[in-house]
Amino acid sequence: SSLAAVLAGGAPELFLGKLQDLASVGFYSRANGLVQMFYRLVIDAVGVVCLPWFSKRSREDGTISEPFLKATAYVSAVGWFFCIILICQAYSIVRILYGSQWGDSVDLVKILALATAIGVPASLCHVALLSIGAVNTIALLTVFGALVTVPLVAFAAFHGAIAVSFSAVAISLIMASVSLVVTSKHIGFPLLNL
């Protein structure tokens, strides 16, 4: 599953590099790095706390639906706020953090922030599945994600970095939906409770 995750994560830069030019790879990579700060700064930290919390609740109560929904609500509020700020202030943020030479990445930041906003509610699904020992399900979700991502990104890369960013929105919608449905079946919460 780690190999599939690396393949899916590197697909945009790989295909843009092969089918476009290095400038488009650089602008996409810069925009993606900015948007991914949310996962590195928030989700990674929250996941470290949620894994033992979910595991403990799973052992004690036999269910983690309540803590999962609570953590998802908090993470979604923070994540959506982060994404809204990025969408509204992309130009200023890119200019302050990276300089005016990265101005072509502003539109990419906005689109990738939308993709991130769509995926935020599913960001703790892997942690929840890991806490109940559903490792095979995580591997299947990761491989499925790679099978969805690679062809969509490959097709989009023919049309440029903007198209690859829009493919990230579609991929995020598909993967968030599938992850939430699978997680809801494993930990037993109705999707409407989200």
Side-chain angles (χ1 to χ4, degrees):
S1 68
S2 293
L3 182 62
V6 169
L7 177 66
E13 284 104 356
L14 174 71
F15 287 114
L16 280 172
K18 288 291 184 186
L19 300 172
Q20 297 296 321
D21 56 8
L22 288 179
S24 63
V25 175
F27 290 125
Y28 182 88
S29 181
R30 181 63 65 187
N32 192 44
L34 177 58
V35 173
Q36 290 298 316
M37 280 186 192
F38 171 72
Y39 287 102
R40 287 193 301 272
L41 297 174
V42 176
I43 298 300
D44 290 350
V46 170
V48 170
V49 174
C50 284
L51 182 61
W53 180 33
F54 292 169
S55 298
K56 180 181 179 207
R57 289 293 297 268
S58 177
R59 286 188 307 272
E60 290 174 354
D61 302 338
T63 181
I64 61 165
S65 60
E66 183 265 325
F68 173 77
L69 291 170
K70 189 175 194 177
T72 298
Y74 291 146
V75 165
S76 295
V78 172
W80 288 337
F81 180 74
F82 176 84
C83 292
I84 289 169
I85 295 296
L86 274 183
I87 291 168
C88 294
Q89 297 296 323
Y91 177 78
S92 301
I93 292 170
V94 167
R95 192 171 177 91
I96 289 169
L97 290 178
Y98 304 124
S100 59
Q101 70 271 25
W102 293 100
D104 287 347
S105 65
V106 169
D107 290 335
L108 302 174
V109 167
K110 293 177 181 181
I111 300 166
L112 292 173
L114 174 62
T116 299
I118 292 169
V120 163
S123 58
L124 294 177
C125 287
H126 280 66
V127 174
L129 292 170
L130 184 61
S131 71
I132 62 169
V135 182
N136 290 338
T137 304
I138 295 171
L140 289 173
L141 279 173
T142 306
V143 170
F144 175 75
L147 292 174
V148 168
T149 300
V150 172
L152 282 175
V153 168
F155 176 74
F158 280 106
H159 306 287
I162 294 285
V164 171
S165 298
F166 279 116
S167 76
V169 173
I171 291 162
S172 186
L173 184 62
I174 293 166
M175 290 309 301
S177 301
V178 170
S179 295
L180 287 168
V181 167
V182 168
T183 304
S184 74
K185 289 181 180 175
H186 274 79
I187 66 174
F189 70 89
L191 284 174
L192 290 177
N193 286 4
L194 282 169

